[in-house]
Amino acid sequence: MNSGTGDHTGGPAEGDTFDAGAGGLLRQPKAVWATAGASVVAFMGIGLVDPILPSIAKGLDASAGQVSLLFTSYFLITAIAMLVTGFVSSRIGGRRTLLLGLALVVVFAGLSGTSGSVGELVGFRAGWGLGNALFVSTALAVIVGAAAGGSAAAILLYESALGLGMACGPLLGALLGDASWRYPFFGTAVLMAIGFLCITAFLKEQPKPARKTGLLDPIKALGHGGLASAAASAFFYNYTFFTVLAFTPFVLNMSPYKSGAVFFAWGLLLAVFSVLVAPRLQARFGSLKVLGGSLVLLAADVLVLGYGSHTTAVVCTILSGAFIGVNNTVYTELALGVSDAPRPVASAGYNFVRWFAAAAAPYFAPKIEEWTDIHIPFVVAAVTAVLGAVVVLVRRKSLTHEAEELETRHATEDSVAAFAN
């Protein structure tokens, strides 16, 4: 991985004790656990509205296309805000940036629950997206900088938080949303307020970098062929990902409880495959082969989801979590290690590109259904997954160096673990 990271996160918080040589995923300083715990809640906010989308549409007398804008506004602002996160955190520090992001989420999640129209809710979700961008991008840098066991353990911990949040979000949305679609938003505001207190208590102020990040630094970082390739592939992949996440609930047309259960199982598979399965597959087959194969399998799964029976659609929705989990881990490692840019800058540039697809899919999928039929949005999603694999194939030389480094690192870690045992 890139050794010249330029992270502004520093090491473990003062006073934390841990065995730096153990490198175990669970042996982390309190600052890392506080950040990871708040990250779980932040990622819960993404899937929170999934099981209650039909309820929101009914409660606010809105169409599926209008309600899907909850995702579009959220991720559009998130994408644009990626250009600002490094600029802000390099000036006020990682801890203050995390707290600013959490504060914005608390405010706008609470306001979302008071919305009187779908327009208000879409606007509040946009503000939520700004807070989430400030928090999530900085949280990854903090965890990577402070975690025991190096960047590999840090990324797995971050992906664990993502998977757990993705799993628990729909479950919380279903449990609270069964009484009212407004309650999940209030619940998220309370949980993020708790996260704010945890960060305040356990995360010490992080040292600022010697060089401040400019607003255009993430764009400049995309001039690196490897990072640009990873971002382009992730753009197509994220269109598929968020077609499943934002459009499938309308296709399944289930009660909040049943929809929440489906996406809870989906999130569990995402977490297990991102943390436990992906590293083993990478060690055995190599990162690029794993990524390409997983994207093709995701395309096949989404295609069957679109044309199968209701039971088949449920099964394929849950199964897609496995492929998404593998992809998330490999993409994150590639984005952080393929270029010489500092990790926060590389992550911002990468996320700036891929989150545009997350904004586009929830908007275009219902539109495509209106123009054609209910099957075609999934055909488009399958095509974009294949395009992501094609980018990996065509640009493999730009990504090969990083893939080889990952394989070497995993092999070294396995050898160290075997020796330790």
Side-chain angles (χ1 to χ4, degrees):
M1 297 289 278
N2 177 15
S3 58
T5 63
D7 283 346
H8 52 272
T9 56
E14 186 179 346
D16 287 337
T17 58
F18 64 98
D19 180 6
L25 183 63
L26 300 180
R27 300 178 183 179
Q28 302 295 340
K30 289 180 292 185
V32 171
W33 284 119
T35 306
S39 297
V40 171
V41 182
F43 287 119
M44 285 172 62
I46 296 177
L48 176 82
V49 299
D50 249 35
I52 57 172
L53 284 175
S55 299
I56 294 174
K58 182 178 180 181
L60 295 178
D61 193 24
S63 66
Q66 289 175 313
V67 173
S68 68
L69 291 176
L70 295 179
F71 285 100
T72 298
S73 64
Y74 181 88
F75 287 115
L76 183 61
I77 296 301
T78 297
I80 296 172
M82 284 299 164
L83 298 179
V84 181
T85 55
F87 179 87
V88 173
S89 62
S90 65
R91 284 162 175 78
I92 68 174
R95 181 175 180 272
R96 291 179 181 176
T97 304
L98 289 177
L99 293 176
L100 174 60
L102 286 169
L104 287 172
V105 172
V106 170
V107 170
F108 284 104
L111 288 173
S112 294
T114 67
S115 300
S117 67
V118 69
E120 284 186 7
L121 184 53
V122 168
F124 291 143
R125 280 282 285 181
W128 187 341
L130 173 60
N132 208 57
L134 288 169
F135 175 81
V136 170
S137 62
T138 309
L140 176 57
V142 168
I143 291 174
V144 169
S151 59
I155 289 172
L156 289 182
L157 187 61
Y158 181 78
E159 292 298 334
S160 298
L162 188 155
L164 187 60
M166 286 289 195
C168 294
L171 193 62
L172 178 67
L175 292 175
L176 297 179
D178 188 60
S180 170
W181 65 263
R182 299 179 186 275
Y183 291 168
F185 296 108
F186 295 139
T188 300
V190 171
L191 289 173
M192 289 304 266
I194 295 173
F196 184 97
L197 295 177
C198 289
I199 295 294
T200 302
F202 297 116
L203 182 63
K204 305 299 181 182
E205 187 56 73
Q206 306 295 299
K208 299 175 186 177
R211 177 183 176 275
K212 291 181 173 61
T213 301
L215 287 174
L216 296 181
D217 283 359
I219 301 295
K220 294 176 181 177
L222 291 169
H224 184 280
L227 183 60
S229 300
S233 178
F235 175 87
F236 291 117
Y237 155 66
N238 267 258
Y239 186 95
T240 307
F241 178 178
F242 285 93
T243 296
V244 173
L245 189 63
F247 183 65
T248 302
F250 291 106
V251 176
L252 297 180
N253 195 25
M254 303 167 77
S255 68
Y257 275 127
K258 290 182 179 179
S259 182
V262 168
F263 280 96
F264 176 68
W266 169 85
L268 283 181
L269 271 187
L270 190 156
V272 169
F273 273 75
S274 64
V275 177
L276 300 178
V277 178
R280 288 169 171 77
L281 291 176
Q282 287 175 275
R284 181 168 183 177
F285 300 106
S287 297
L288 299 188
K289 288 181 181 178
V290 170
L291 182 58
S294 181
L295 286 169
V296 171
L297 290 173
L298 177 61
D301 178 79
V302 169
L303 201 59
V304 175
L305 191 164
Y307 281 93
S309 64
H310 186 269
T311 301
T312 301
V314 169
V315 172
C316 287
T317 298
I318 295 173
L319 183 59
S320 69
F323 307 124
I324 289 170
V326 171
N327 293 338
N328 285 350
T329 294
V330 179
Y331 274 122
T332 300
E333 290 190 341
L334 286 176
L336 291 183
V338 74
S339 74
D340 293 328
R343 284 195 185 105
V345 175
S347 177
Y350 162 78
N351 283 303
F352 172 71
V353 174
R354 76 181 183 111
W355 286 129
F356 274 111
Y363 175 79
F364 283 111
K367 292 292 184 183
I368 293 171
E369 181 196 10
E370 292 176 12
W371 300 332
T372 56
D373 59 53
I374 199 169
H375 307 297
I376 303 304
F378 294 101
V379 174
V380 174
V383 170
T384 55
V386 171
L387 287 175
V390 169
V391 172
V392 172
L393 176 64
V394 173
R395 300 290 296 170
R396 62 187 180 279
K397 289 185 178 180
S398 298
L399 299 167
T400 297
H401 177 65
E402 166 60 11
E404 289 174 348
E405 281 193 352
L406 289 174
E407 292 174 30
T408 301
R409 191 189 69 225
H410 286 309
T412 301
E413 289 171 351
D414 291 341
S415 299
V416 171
F419 179 77
N421 293 331

mmCIF file with all atom_site columns, all heavy atoms in Angstrom, residues 86-110:
data_model
loop_
_atom_site.group_PDB
_atom_site.id
_atom_site.type_symbol
_atom_site.label_atom_id
_atom_site.label_alt_id
_atom_site.label_comp_id
_atom_site.label_asym_id
_atom_site.label_entity_id
_atom_site.label_seq_id
_atom_site.pdbx_PDB_ins_code
_atom_site.Cartn_x
_atom_site.Cartn_y
_atom_site.Cartn_z
_atom_site.occupancy
_atom_site.B_iso_or_equiv
_atom_site.pdbx_formal_charge
_atom_site.auth_seq_id
_atom_site.auth_comp_id
_atom_site.auth_asym_id
_atom_site.auth_atom_id
_atom_site.pdbx_PDB_model_num
ATOM 1   N N   . GLY A 1 86  ? -11.710 17.048 2.556  1.00 0.00 ? 86  GLY A N   1
ATOM 2   C CA  . GLY A 1 86  ? -10.276 17.161 2.825  1.00 0.00 ? 86  GLY A CA  1
ATOM 3   C C   . GLY A 1 86  ? -9.872  18.602 3.102  1.00 0.00 ? 86  GLY A C   1
ATOM 4   O O   . GLY A 1 86  ? -9.024  18.865 3.965  1.00 0.00 ? 86  GLY A O   1
ATOM 5   N N   . PHE A 1 87  ? -10.473 19.518 2.368  1.00 0.00 ? 87  PHE A N   1
ATOM 6   C CA  . PHE A 1 87  ? -10.206 20.950 2.566  1.00 0.00 ? 87  PHE A CA  1
ATOM 7   C C   . PHE A 1 87  ? -10.539 21.352 3.998  1.00 0.00 ? 87  PHE A C   1
ATOM 8   O O   . PHE A 1 87  ? -9.769  22.057 4.659  1.00 0.00 ? 87  PHE A O   1
ATOM 9   C CB  . PHE A 1 87  ? -11.045 21.756 1.571  1.00 0.00 ? 87  PHE A CB  1
ATOM 10  C CG  . PHE A 1 87  ? -10.893 23.248 1.685  1.00 0.00 ? 87  PHE A CG  1
ATOM 11  C CD1 . PHE A 1 87  ? -9.887  23.918 1.002  1.00 0.00 ? 87  PHE A CD1 1
ATOM 12  C CD2 . PHE A 1 87  ? -11.756 23.993 2.484  1.00 0.00 ? 87  PHE A CD2 1
ATOM 13  C CE1 . PHE A 1 87  ? -9.746  25.301 1.102  1.00 0.00 ? 87  PHE A CE1 1
ATOM 14  C CE2 . PHE A 1 87  ? -11.626 25.369 2.595  1.00 0.00 ? 87  PHE A CE2 1
ATOM 15  C CZ  . PHE A 1 87  ? -10.616 26.024 1.907  1.00 0.00 ? 87  PHE A CZ  1
ATOM 16  N N   . VAL A 1 88  ? -11.687 20.886 4.494  1.00 0.00 ? 88  VAL A N   1
ATOM 17  C CA  . VAL A 1 88  ? -12.128 21.236 5.846  1.00 0.00 ? 88  VAL A CA  1
ATOM 18  C C   . VAL A 1 88  ? -11.288 20.532 6.900  1.00 0.00 ? 88  VAL A C   1
ATOM 19  O O   . VAL A 1 88  ? -10.776 21.159 7.832  1.00 0.00 ? 88  VAL A O   1
ATOM 20  C CB  . VAL A 1 88  ? -13.621 20.883 6.029  1.00 0.00 ? 88  VAL A CB  1
ATOM 21  C CG1 . VAL A 1 88  ? -14.047 21.083 7.485  1.00 0.00 ? 88  VAL A CG1 1
ATOM 22  C CG2 . VAL A 1 88  ? -14.485 21.725 5.107  1.00 0.00 ? 88  VAL A CG2 1
ATOM 23  N N   . SER A 1 89  ? -11.126 19.207 6.769  1.00 0.00 ? 89  SER A N   1
ATOM 24  C CA  . SER A 1 89  ? -10.446 18.443 7.819  1.00 0.00 ? 89  SER A CA  1
ATOM 25  C C   . SER A 1 89  ? -8.977  18.809 7.943  1.00 0.00 ? 89  SER A C   1
ATOM 26  O O   . SER A 1 89  ? -8.403  18.733 9.033  1.00 0.00 ? 89  SER A O   1
ATOM 27  C CB  . SER A 1 89  ? -10.591 16.943 7.549  1.00 0.00 ? 89  SER A CB  1
ATOM 28  O OG  . SER A 1 89  ? -9.976  16.581 6.331  1.00 0.00 ? 89  SER A OG  1
ATOM 29  N N   . SER A 1 90  ? -8.338  19.205 6.826  1.00 0.00 ? 90  SER A N   1
ATOM 30  C CA  . SER A 1 90  ? -6.923  19.573 6.901  1.00 0.00 ? 90  SER A CA  1
ATOM 31  C C   . SER A 1 90  ? -6.727  20.932 7.566  1.00 0.00 ? 90  SER A C   1
ATOM 32  O O   . SER A 1 90  ? -5.603  21.299 7.911  1.00 0.00 ? 90  SER A O   1
ATOM 33  C CB  . SER A 1 90  ? -6.308  19.593 5.494  1.00 0.00 ? 90  SER A CB  1
ATOM 34  O OG  . SER A 1 90  ? -6.872  20.612 4.688  1.00 0.00 ? 90  SER A OG  1
ATOM 35  N N   . ARG A 1 91  ? -7.823  21.653 7.768  1.00 0.00 ? 91  ARG A N   1
ATOM 36  C CA  . ARG A 1 91  ? -7.737  22.973 8.401  1.00 0.00 ? 91  ARG A CA  1
ATOM 37  C C   . ARG A 1 91  ? -8.237  22.975 9.840  1.00 0.00 ? 91  ARG A C   1
ATOM 38  O O   . ARG A 1 91  ? -7.707  23.699 10.683 1.00 0.00 ? 91  ARG A O   1
ATOM 39  C CB  . ARG A 1 91  ? -8.503  24.006 7.558  1.00 0.00 ? 91  ARG A CB  1
ATOM 40  C CG  . ARG A 1 91  ? -7.731  24.411 6.308  1.00 0.00 ? 91  ARG A CG  1
ATOM 41  C CD  . ARG A 1 91  ? -8.603  25.055 5.267  1.00 0.00 ? 91  ARG A CD  1
ATOM 42  N NE  . ARG A 1 91  ? -7.789  25.542 4.143  1.00 0.00 ? 91  ARG A NE  1
ATOM 43  C CZ  . ARG A 1 91  ? -7.304  24.742 3.193  1.00 0.00 ? 91  ARG A CZ  1
ATOM 44  N NH1 . ARG A 1 91  ? -7.543  23.446 3.224  1.00 0.00 ? 91  ARG A NH1 1
ATOM 45  N NH2 . ARG A 1 91  ? -6.573  25.256 2.209  1.00 0.00 ? 91  ARG A NH2 1
ATOM 46  N N   . ILE A 1 92  ? -9.275  22.192 10.119 1.00 0.00 ? 92  ILE A N   1
ATOM 47  C CA  . ILE A 1 92  ? -9.805  22.196 11.490 1.00 0.00 ? 92  ILE A CA  1
ATOM 48  C C   . ILE A 1 92  ? -9.490  20.901 12.229 1.00 0.00 ? 92  ILE A C   1
ATOM 49  O O   . ILE A 1 92  ? -9.785  20.794 13.427 1.00 0.00 ? 92  ILE A O   1
ATOM 50  C CB  . ILE A 1 92  ? -11.326 22.455 11.497 1.00 0.00 ? 92  ILE A CB  1
ATOM 51  C CG1 . ILE A 1 92  ? -12.094 21.279 10.879 1.00 0.00 ? 92  ILE A CG1 1
ATOM 52  C CG2 . ILE A 1 92  ? -11.657 23.746 10.774 1.00 0.00 ? 92  ILE A CG2 1
ATOM 53  C CD1 . ILE A 1 92  ? -13.608 21.414 11.002 1.00 0.00 ? 92  ILE A CD1 1
ATOM 54  N N   . GLY A 1 93  ? -8.915  19.910 11.538 1.00 0.00 ? 93  GLY A N   1
ATOM 55  C CA  . GLY A 1 93  ? -8.556  18.656 12.181 1.00 0.00 ? 93  GLY A CA  1
ATOM 56  C C   . GLY A 1 93  ? -9.621  17.591 12.004 1.00 0.00 ? 93  GLY A C   1
ATOM 57  O O   . GLY A 1 93  ? -10.806 17.885 11.799 1.00 0.00 ? 93  GLY A O   1
ATOM 58  N N   . GLY A 1 94  ? -9.186  16.324 12.081 1.00 0.00 ? 94  GLY A N   1
ATOM 59  C CA  . GLY A 1 94  ? -10.100 15.213 11.865 1.00 0.00 ? 94  GLY A CA  1
ATOM 60  C C   . GLY A 1 94  ? -11.207 15.126 12.893 1.00 0.00 ? 94  GLY A C   1
ATOM 61  O O   . GLY A 1 94  ? -12.369 14.878 12.564 1.00 0.00 ? 94  GLY A O   1
ATOM 62  N N   . ARG A 1 95  ? -10.880 15.347 14.179 1.00 0.00 ? 95  ARG A N   1
ATOM 63  C CA  . ARG A 1 95  ? -11.878 15.222 15.236 1.00 0.00 ? 95  ARG A CA  1
ATOM 64  C C   . ARG A 1 95  ? -12.991 16.253 15.068 1.00 0.00 ? 95  ARG A C   1
ATOM 65  O O   . ARG A 1 95  ? -14.188 15.923 15.164 1.00 0.00 ? 95  ARG A O   1
ATOM 66  C CB  . ARG A 1 95  ? -11.202 15.393 16.597 1.00 0.00 ? 95  ARG A CB  1
ATOM 67  C CG  . ARG A 1 95  ? -12.135 15.268 17.799 1.00 0.00 ? 95  ARG A CG  1
ATOM 68  C CD  . ARG A 1 95  ? -11.331 15.331 19.095 1.00 0.00 ? 95  ARG A CD  1
ATOM 69  N NE  . ARG A 1 95  ? -12.177 15.210 20.269 1.00 0.00 ? 95  ARG A NE  1
ATOM 70  C CZ  . ARG A 1 95  ? -12.765 16.211 20.890 1.00 0.00 ? 95  ARG A CZ  1
ATOM 71  N NH1 . ARG A 1 95  ? -12.603 17.465 20.423 1.00 0.00 ? 95  ARG A NH1 1
ATOM 72  N NH2 . ARG A 1 95  ? -13.507 16.020 21.962 1.00 0.00 ? 95  ARG A NH2 1
ATOM 73  N N   . ARG A 1 96  ? -12.626 17.494 14.816 1.00 0.00 ? 96  ARG A N   1
ATOM 74  C CA  . ARG A 1 96  ? -13.647 18.535 14.653 1.00 0.00 ? 96  ARG A CA  1
ATOM 75  C C   . ARG A 1 96  ? -14.482 18.306 13.399 1.00 0.00 ? 96  ARG A C   1
ATOM 76  O O   . ARG A 1 96  ? -15.684 18.620 13.382 1.00 0.00 ? 96  ARG A O   1
ATOM 77  C CB  . ARG A 1 96  ? -12.975 19.901 14.606 1.00 0.00 ? 96  ARG A CB  1
ATOM 78  C CG  . ARG A 1 96  ? -12.366 20.335 15.943 1.00 0.00 ? 96  ARG A CG  1
ATOM 79  C CD  . ARG A 1 96  ? -11.690 21.688 15.835 1.00 0.00 ? 96  ARG A CD  1
ATOM 80  N NE  . ARG A 1 96  ? -11.092 22.102 17.104 1.00 0.00 ? 96  ARG A NE  1
ATOM 81  C CZ  . ARG A 1 96  ? -10.379 23.200 17.272 1.00 0.00 ? 96  ARG A CZ  1
ATOM 82  N NH1 . ARG A 1 96  ? -10.182 24.025 16.236 1.00 0.00 ? 96  ARG A NH1 1
ATOM 83  N NH2 . ARG A 1 96  ? -9.863  23.491 18.445 1.00 0.00 ? 96  ARG A NH2 1
ATOM 84  N N   . THR A 1 97  ? -13.870 17.762 12.366 1.00 0.00 ? 97  THR A N   1
ATOM 85  C CA  . THR A 1 97  ? -14.630 17.468 11.144 1.00 0.00 ? 97  THR A CA  1
ATOM 86  C C   . THR A 1 97  ? -15.655 16.372 11.401 1.00 0.00 ? 97  THR A C   1
ATOM 87  O O   . THR A 1 97  ? -16.803 16.446 10.937 1.00 0.00 ? 97  THR A O   1
ATOM 88  C CB  . THR A 1 97  ? -13.684 17.041 10.014 1.00 0.00 ? 97  THR A CB  1
ATOM 89  O OG1 . THR A 1 97  ? -12.701 18.060 9.807  1.00 0.00 ? 97  THR A OG1 1
ATOM 90  C CG2 . THR A 1 97  ? -14.445 16.821 8.713  1.00 0.00 ? 97  THR A CG2 1
ATOM 91  N N   . LEU A 1 98  ? -15.237 15.333 12.138 1.00 0.00 ? 98  LEU A N   1
ATOM 92  C CA  . LEU A 1 98  ? -16.173 14.270 12.505 1.00 0.00 ? 98  LEU A CA  1
ATOM 93  C C   . LEU A 1 98  ? -17.348 14.839 13.299 1.00 0.00 ? 98  LEU A C   1
ATOM 94  O O   . LEU A 1 98  ? -18.514 14.513 13.031 1.00 0.00 ? 98  LEU A O   1
ATOM 95  C CB  . LEU A 1 98  ? -15.465 13.206 13.337 1.00 0.00 ? 98  LEU A CB  1
ATOM 96  C CG  . LEU A 1 98  ? -14.448 12.305 12.630 1.00 0.00 ? 98  LEU A CG  1
ATOM 97  C CD1 . LEU A 1 98  ? -13.800 11.356 13.639 1.00 0.00 ? 98  LEU A CD1 1
ATOM 98  C CD2 . LEU A 1 98  ? -15.103 11.512 11.512 1.00 0.00 ? 98  LEU A CD2 1
ATOM 99  N N   . LEU A 1 99  ? -17.043 15.675 14.271 1.00 0.00 ? 99  LEU A N   1
ATOM 100 C CA  . LEU A 1 99  ? -18.095 16.239 15.115 1.00 0.00 ? 99  LEU A CA  1
ATOM 101 C C   . LEU A 1 99  ? -19.015 17.166 14.322 1.00 0.00 ? 99  LEU A C   1
ATOM 102 O O   . LEU A 1 99  ? -20.245 17.176 14.540 1.00 0.00 ? 99  LEU A O   1
ATOM 103 C CB  . LEU A 1 99  ? -17.473 17.003 16.290 1.00 0.00 ? 99  LEU A CB  1
ATOM 104 C CG  . LEU A 1 99  ? -16.726 16.136 17.314 1.00 0.00 ? 99  LEU A CG  1
ATOM 105 C CD1 . LEU A 1 99  ? -16.061 17.009 18.371 1.00 0.00 ? 99  LEU A CD1 1
ATOM 106 C CD2 . LEU A 1 99  ? -17.676 15.138 17.968 1.00 0.00 ? 99  LEU A CD2 1
ATOM 107 N N   . LEU A 1 100 ? -18.450 17.930 13.384 1.00 0.00 ? 100 LEU A N   1
ATOM 108 C CA  . LEU A 1 100 ? -19.268 18.797 12.534 1.00 0.00 ? 100 LEU A CA  1
ATOM 109 C C   . LEU A 1 100 ? -20.218 17.955 11.684 1.00 0.00 ? 100 LEU A C   1
ATOM 110 O O   . LEU A 1 100 ? -21.409 18.265 11.563 1.00 0.00 ? 100 LEU A O   1
ATOM 111 C CB  . LEU A 1 100 ? -18.373 19.650 11.634 1.00 0.00 ? 100 LEU A CB  1
ATOM 112 C CG  . LEU A 1 100 ? -19.084 20.521 10.586 1.00 0.00 ? 100 LEU A CG  1
ATOM 113 C CD1 . LEU A 1 100 ? -20.025 21.514 11.264 1.00 0.00 ? 100 LEU A CD1 1
ATOM 114 C CD2 . LEU A 1 100 ? -18.061 21.251 9.726  1.00 0.00 ? 100 LEU A CD2 1
ATOM 115 N N   . GLY A 1 101 ? -19.689 16.887 11.091 1.00 0.00 ? 101 GLY A N   1
ATOM 116 C CA  . GLY A 1 101 ? -20.524 16.002 10.280 1.00 0.00 ? 101 GLY A CA  1
ATOM 117 C C   . GLY A 1 101 ? -21.634 15.372 11.093 1.00 0.00 ? 101 GLY A C   1
ATOM 118 O O   . GLY A 1 101 ? -22.797 15.324 10.669 1.00 0.00 ? 101 GLY A O   1
ATOM 119 N N   . LEU A 1 102 ? -21.293 14.874 12.285 1.00 0.00 ? 102 LEU A N   1
ATOM 120 C CA  . LEU A 1 102 ? -22.299 14.257 13.157 1.00 0.00 ? 102 LEU A CA  1
ATOM 121 C C   . LEU A 1 102 ? -23.375 15.259 13.557 1.00 0.00 ? 102 LEU A C   1
ATOM 122 O O   . LEU A 1 102 ? -24.567 14.937 13.578 1.00 0.00 ? 102 LEU A O   1
ATOM 123 C CB  . LEU A 1 102 ? -21.625 13.688 14.404 1.00 0.00 ? 102 LEU A CB  1
ATOM 124 C CG  . LEU A 1 102 ? -20.815 12.399 14.207 1.00 0.00 ? 102 LEU A CG  1
ATOM 125 C CD1 . LEU A 1 102 ? -19.981 12.102 15.439 1.00 0.00 ? 102 LEU A CD1 1
ATOM 126 C CD2 . LEU A 1 102 ? -21.738 11.235 13.900 1.00 0.00 ? 102 LEU A CD2 1
ATOM 127 N N   . ALA A 1 103 ? -22.956 16.480 13.877 1.00 0.00 ? 103 ALA A N   1
ATOM 128 C CA  . ALA A 1 103 ? -23.919 17.509 14.273 1.00 0.00 ? 103 ALA A CA  1
ATOM 129 C C   . ALA A 1 103 ? -24.907 17.804 13.142 1.00 0.00 ? 103 ALA A C   1
ATOM 130 O O   . ALA A 1 103 ? -26.119 17.941 13.377 1.00 0.00 ? 103 ALA A O   1
ATOM 131 C CB  . ALA A 1 103 ? -23.181 18.784 14.688 1.00 0.00 ? 103 ALA A CB  1
ATOM 132 N N   . LEU A 1 104 ? -24.391 17.884 11.910 1.00 0.00 ? 104 LEU A N   1
ATOM 133 C CA  . LEU A 1 104 ? -25.276 18.148 10.768 1.00 0.00 ? 104 LEU A CA  1
ATOM 134 C C   . LEU A 1 104 ? -26.258 16.997 10.559 1.00 0.00 ? 104 LEU A C   1
ATOM 135 O O   . LEU A 1 104 ? -27.440 17.227 10.255 1.00 0.00 ? 104 LEU A O   1
ATOM 136 C CB  . LEU A 1 104 ? -24.430 18.354 9.498  1.00 0.00 ? 104 LEU A CB  1
ATOM 137 C CG  . LEU A 1 104 ? -23.668 19.681 9.403  1.00 0.00 ? 104 LEU A CG  1
ATOM 138 C CD1 . LEU A 1 104 ? -22.733 19.670 8.199  1.00 0.00 ? 104 LEU A CD1 1
ATOM 139 C CD2 . LEU A 1 104 ? -24.647 20.851 9.297  1.00 0.00 ? 104 LEU A CD2 1
ATOM 140 N N   . VAL A 1 105 ? -25.787 15.764 10.728 1.00 0.00 ? 105 VAL A N   1
ATOM 141 C CA  . VAL A 1 105 ? -26.684 14.615 10.571 1.00 0.00 ? 105 VAL A CA  1
ATOM 142 C C   . VAL A 1 105 ? -27.771 14.631 11.637 1.00 0.00 ? 105 VAL A C   1
ATOM 143 O O   . VAL A 1 105 ? -28.951 14.375 11.343 1.00 0.00 ? 105 VAL A O   1
ATOM 144 C CB  . VAL A 1 105 ? -25.894 13.290 10.638 1.00 0.00 ? 105 VAL A CB  1
ATOM 145 C CG1 . VAL A 1 105 ? -26.853 12.103 10.665 1.00 0.00 ? 105 VAL A CG1 1
ATOM 146 C CG2 . VAL A 1 105 ? -24.969 13.162 9.444  1.00 0.00 ? 105 VAL A CG2 1
ATOM 147 N N   . VAL A 1 106 ? -27.404 14.926 12.877 1.00 0.00 ? 106 VAL A N   1
ATOM 148 C CA  . VAL A 1 106 ? -28.388 14.994 13.959 1.00 0.00 ? 106 VAL A CA  1
ATOM 149 C C   . VAL A 1 106 ? -29.481 16.010 13.624 1.00 0.00 ? 106 VAL A C   1
ATOM 150 O O   . VAL A 1 106 ? -30.685 15.733 13.754 1.00 0.00 ? 106 VAL A O   1
ATOM 151 C CB  . VAL A 1 106 ? -27.715 15.359 15.297 1.00 0.00 ? 106 VAL A CB  1
ATOM 152 C CG1 . VAL A 1 106 ? -28.764 15.670 16.362 1.00 0.00 ? 106 VAL A CG1 1
ATOM 153 C CG2 . VAL A 1 106 ? -26.815 14.221 15.774 1.00 0.00 ? 106 VAL A CG2 1
ATOM 154 N N   . VAL A 1 107 ? -29.073 17.190 13.182 1.00 0.00 ? 107 VAL A N   1
ATOM 155 C CA  . VAL A 1 107 ? -30.027 18.260 12.879 1.00 0.00 ? 107 VAL A CA  1
ATOM 156 C C   . VAL A 1 107 ? -30.940 17.870 11.715 1.00 0.00 ? 107 VAL A C   1
ATOM 157 O O   . VAL A 1 107 ? -32.179 17.958 11.816 1.00 0.00 ? 107 VAL A O   1
ATOM 158 C CB  . VAL A 1 107 ? -29.290 19.574 12.554 1.00 0.00 ? 107 VAL A CB  1
ATOM 159 C CG1 . VAL A 1 107 ? -30.263 20.611 12.000 1.00 0.00 ? 107 VAL A CG1 1
ATOM 160 C CG2 . VAL A 1 107 ? -28.591 20.113 13.793 1.00 0.00 ? 107 VAL A CG2 1
ATOM 161 N N   . PHE A 1 108 ? -30.331 17.421 10.605 1.00 0.00 ? 108 PHE A N   1
ATOM 162 C CA  . PHE A 1 108 ? -31.135 17.175 9.408  1.00 0.00 ? 108 PHE A CA  1
ATOM 163 C C   . PHE A 1 108 ? -31.915 15.860 9.472  1.00 0.00 ? 108 PHE A C   1
ATOM 164 O O   . PHE A 1 108 ? -32.981 15.745 8.854  1.00 0.00 ? 108 PHE A O   1
ATOM 165 C CB  . PHE A 1 108 ? -30.252 17.219 8.155  1.00 0.00 ? 108 PHE A CB  1
ATOM 166 C CG  . PHE A 1 108 ? -29.874 18.623 7.753  1.00 0.00 ? 108 PHE A CG  1
ATOM 167 C CD1 . PHE A 1 108 ? -28.609 19.124 8.000  1.00 0.00 ? 108 PHE A CD1 1
ATOM 168 C CD2 . PHE A 1 108 ? -30.808 19.450 7.159  1.00 0.00 ? 108 PHE A CD2 1
ATOM 169 C CE1 . PHE A 1 108 ? -28.273 20.420 7.647  1.00 0.00 ? 108 PHE A CE1 1
ATOM 170 C CE2 . PHE A 1 108 ? -30.490 20.752 6.800  1.00 0.00 ? 108 PHE A CE2 1
ATOM 171 C CZ  . PHE A 1 108 ? -29.211 21.246 7.056  1.00 0.00 ? 108 PHE A CZ  1
ATOM 172 N N   . ALA A 1 109 ? -31.421 14.873 10.209 1.00 0.00 ? 109 ALA A N   1
ATOM 173 C CA  . ALA A 1 109 ? -32.209 13.654 10.408 1.00 0.00 ? 109 ALA A CA  1
ATOM 174 C C   . ALA A 1 109 ? -33.450 13.978 11.232 1.00 0.00 ? 109 ALA A C   1
ATOM 175 O O   . ALA A 1 109 ? -34.556 13.497 10.941 1.00 0.00 ? 109 ALA A O   1
ATOM 176 C CB  . ALA A 1 109 ? -31.365 12.583 11.098 1.00 0.00 ? 109 ALA A CB  1
ATOM 177 N N   . GLY A 1 110 ? -33.265 14.807 12.269 1.00 0.00 ? 110 GLY A N   1
ATOM 178 C CA  . GLY A 1 110 ? -34.415 15.222 13.070 1.00 0.00 ? 110 GLY A CA  1
ATOM 179 C C   . GLY A 1 110 ? -35.416 16.025 12.258 1.00 0.00 ? 110 GLY A C   1
ATOM 180 O O   . GLY A 1 110 ? -36.629 15.801 12.344 1.00 0.00 ? 110 GLY A O   1
#
